[in-house]
Amino acid sequence: VPEPVRFTHAAHRDRYARQPHLRPMGAGLLLSGRRRDGSEFPLEIALSPVPAEGGEVYVAAIRDISEVLRTKQAARRGRYSAFVARFGMEALASVDFERLMHAAPTLVREAMEVDSVSILRLVPDRSRFVVVAASGLAGASIEGSEVPNDARFLAGYVVQRRGAVLSRDFAVEDRFEIPESFRRLGLRAVAAVPLFDGEHAIGLIAARSREPRDFGEDDVNYLQSIANVLATVLQRATVEEHLAHAQRLEALGQLTGGVAHDFNNLLMVISGNLQVLEDVARAGEAVELVRAASAAVDRGAMLTRKLLAFARKQPLQPRPVDLGQLLRDFRDLVQRTLGETVFVQVTHDPALPPALVDHAQLETALLNLAINARDAMPHGGSLKLSAEPFTLDHDTAGAPPDLVPGNYACIAVTDSGAGMPKEVLERAFEPFFTTKGVGKGSGLGLAMVYGFARQSGGSAHIYSEPGFGTTVRLYLPLPVHGTEAARAAATHDLTTGRETVLVVEDEAAVCHIAVMFLRRLGYRVLQAADADGALRLLETESGGVDLLFTDLVLPGMTGVELARQARLRWPRLRVLYTSGYASGSVLDNIPDAELGQLISKPYRREALAEAVRRVLDAQPAG
């Protein structure tokens, strides 16, 4: 008997002597024997009591089963290889991931000849495991059950260890707590391997038996092969789901863009006429009616901007924005959105200068953050919005690593909700990552907030602890020319001029509004319905046009192409673009230096006056 097991062998022998019985060859446990030279070999033993004078004699017949085991092992490996090949072929041919997931436990149970097989997956916040597929003992009742992601349980231990875990008999060891469902079923031996999604363990597959069993290397390799196929299929399903999601968003963006283009043109006509009517209205009631209608137009325009921001189809239009005023105005909207169970508080530093940011996109980002905060406080709580200056230099600690040194406005959105665990916090800005249930979140909210902050020249950072709430900080750049210049830019008077402006717009009603606005501002105005007509007018004027004010979407030729051709002939021609909506391909063709020369429809007369004057007064390119 090998040295390490001699003590237990003596105990087994004494127990057998107290209750002797016939035990045939192969009925006992797999044992090891030691030869005279010290080498060990596997053996089986048959025991039989023989009556004799003075007591009983026990006859032990011992058989070396090395060759038998090698033959069995070869047969088992061949069977396992065949099962893996079959499952792999099914996985390649199938697009039904759920069917494959539910087929795998039965396949493993048949191949390994065990009593139960289950597949467990971590939920998105990695707090617990859910049994997503099972086969064998009461599989239907096990499916859907949950266990905590705790190393005291087998599932948590496997994921933490990131490798196979084997137990010959749960009943004689205390490594893990046994769920009551498994205890009732009498499951004792287990072999489990993790499921990986890239570098992250996201679940496991476990084979269990009611009898004590020694699982070997071949069993582990087979289980891991099935797990690898499942993980690959899972990654494929995830990628396909994300692609389908992206395609749906793209389709939504195209649909939204088409509607927004027509809707914004209608709003432009209504808004323009209301602005002119407000100038001529005399009676107090008439003025109030006009202003109420104008406010409705503004809300309609805000709606289309938010839709376009969701679809990421609207270029940023940074302007100096008074963040204190924005937060005060935003508070009422947030309070109505979040309900009475959430107390909303707004604070800001009065000395904070206006930040260079797109007003509408910032409101959309803050609304996303507020809705996330509400979801983290299902029973109510508090939400605080604050704004203060922030200076980053090379010695500043705690700032986002992708933020360059400079002066910023820091907007903080703090909730008293549940907070995020570390593993969720690390992925919070990832597109499509969400801890919400199916259909309750796109996983794009925080990703859009981060993208907006980065596109604005700043960054975003999240600080959170479970049980202590979450704070999201947006860092937005401050003007480089000082507070007073920014304040002057943020609040300007209606500007006029005497230059010549060529308006190119294919919608006659919209063109009429633009021409009327510009003439009332003192400009000499020419108009054309398409690019060809605009080029003919430019030729007729022999370079006497100071500004080309063109829609981006024109029949036959885009506004960007029109501007490019016109500048080949008249290099000093200034250009201002407008659009109710333009597809990504059109926007992508706008030169980087001209990205700020775009005014979105519907625009107010004051905004048009400022934009025209700003472009005309700018230093000419080249």
Side-chain angles (χ1 to χ4, degrees), residues 316-332:
L316 297 183
Q317 299 179 33
R319 296 286 187 273
V321 173
D322 184 338
L323 295 181
Q325 185 63 48
L326 182 144
L327 292 182
R328 289 193 297 272
D329 295 342
F330 189 67
R331 182 190 179 282
D332 293 336

Side-chain angles (χ1 to χ4, degrees), residues 36-94:
R36 287 183 180 276
D37 63 4
S39 61
E40 294 186 11
F41 63 96
L43 61 84
E44 289 180 336
I45 184 169
L47 297 173
S48 58
V50 179
E53 293 183 6
E56 287 188 323
V57 174
Y58 309 107
V59 177
I62 297 172
R63 179 174 67 175
D64 182 346
I65 58 170
S66 300
E67 286 301 322
V68 174
L69 287 184
R70 275 193 287 269
T71 302
K72 286 184 177 180
Q73 186 179 57
R76 184 167 58 249
R77 285 177 178 172
R79 186 171 74 253
Y80 283 168
S81 296
F83 273 95
V84 171
R86 191 177 98 193
F87 188 60
M89 292 295 291
E90 289 184 17
L92 283 173
S94 176

Side-chain angles (χ1 to χ4, degrees), residues 243-268:
L243 178 60
H245 197 166
Q247 289 173 337
R248 288 195 299 272
L249 288 178
E250 181 65 24
L252 176 62
Q254 292 176 357
L255 175 63
T256 302
V259 172
H261 181 268
D262 294 337
F263 191 54
N264 279 335
N265 277 335
L266 291 173
L267 289 176
M268 185 69 248

Side-chain angles (χ1 to χ4, degrees), residues 188-492:
R188 295 174 69 177
V190 66
V193 298
L195 283 169
F196 287 97
D197 180 6
E199 297 181 358
H200 302 282
I202 58 169
L204 69 151
I205 180 169
R208 295 179 174 85
S209 177
R210 286 188 292 184
E211 297 297 328
R213 172 170 171 174
D214 291 300
F215 290 102
E217 183 180 354
D218 291 335
D219 300 311
V220 172
N221 289 340
Y222 170 66
L223 263 183
Q224 193 63 66
S225 296
I226 295 296
N228 291 343
V229 173
L230 281 175
T232 301
V233 174
L234 175 62
Q235 290 177 21
R236 186 184 73 186
T238 302
V239 170
E240 289 175 352
E241 181 181 345
H242 288 176
L243 178 60
H245 197 166
Q247 289 173 337
R248 288 195 299 272
L249 288 178
E250 181 65 24
L252 176 62
Q254 292 176 357
L255 175 63
T256 302
V259 172
H261 181 268
D262 294 337
F263 191 54
N264 279 335
N265 277 335
L266 291 173
L267 289 176
M268 185 69 248
V269 175
I270 297 170
S271 174
N273 283 289
L274 285 171
Q275 291 175 65
V276 174
L277 188 59
E278 186 176 357
D279 288 344
V280 300
R282 292 290 182 265
E285 184 178 359
V287 171
E288 291 301 318
L289 291 174
V290 169
R291 289 177 178 174
S294 296
V297 170
D298 291 341
R299 288 196 296 273
M302 178 64 71
L303 174 62
T304 57
R305 283 198 294 270
K306 288 181 178 179
L307 288 172
L308 290 172
F310 172 77
R312 302 182 76 99
K313 295 292 184 181
Q314 182 161 286
L316 297 183
Q317 299 179 33
R319 296 286 187 273
V321 173
D322 184 338
L323 295 181
Q325 185 63 48
L326 182 144
L327 292 182
R328 289 193 297 272
D329 295 342
F330 189 67
R331 182 190 179 282
D332 293 336
L333 170 64
V334 173
Q335 189 67 76
R336 289 195 300 271
T337 302
L338 302 190
E340 297 179 356
T341 61
V342 177
F343 174 69
V344 180
Q345 179 185 5
V346 170
T347 63
H348 73 283
D349 186 337
L352 178 67
L356 287 172
V357 66
D358 186 303
H359 186 286
Q361 298 282 27
L362 176 57
E363 283 194 339
T364 301
L366 292 176
L367 190 59
N368 270 322
L369 295 176
I371 291 173
N372 277 354
R374 179 199 62 191
D375 293 343
M377 301 182 292
H379 305 297
S382 63
L383 179 69
K384 180 179 179 181
L385 295 93
S386 63
E388 59 185 17
F390 175 82
T391 299
L392 175 65
D393 55 35
H394 295 290
D395 298 323
T396 306
D402 53 3
L403 195 65
V404 299
N407 295 320
Y408 298 89
C410 176
I411 300 180
V413 180
T414 303
D415 66 62
S416 60
M420 303 181 196
K422 180 181 178 182
E423 57 271 16
V424 173
L425 188 61
E426 290 174 347
R427 304 183 62 191
F429 283 138
E430 290 183 16
F432 302 110
F433 176 74
T434 178
T435 58
K436 300 175 184 177
V438 176
K440 295 183 179 180
S442 66
L444 286 173
L446 285 175
M448 291 173 67
V449 170
Y450 177 76
F452 158 72
R454 292 293 294 146
Q455 190 179 354
S456 299
S459 187
H461 180 260
I462 303 178
Y463 176 79
S464 184
E465 287 187 26
F468 292 93
T470 299
T471 296
V472 181
R473 291 184 173 88
L474 297 182
Y475 297 90
L476 303 170
L478 291 176
V480 296
H481 298 302
T483 302
E484 296 306 320
R487 292 192 188 277
T491 56
H492 50 267

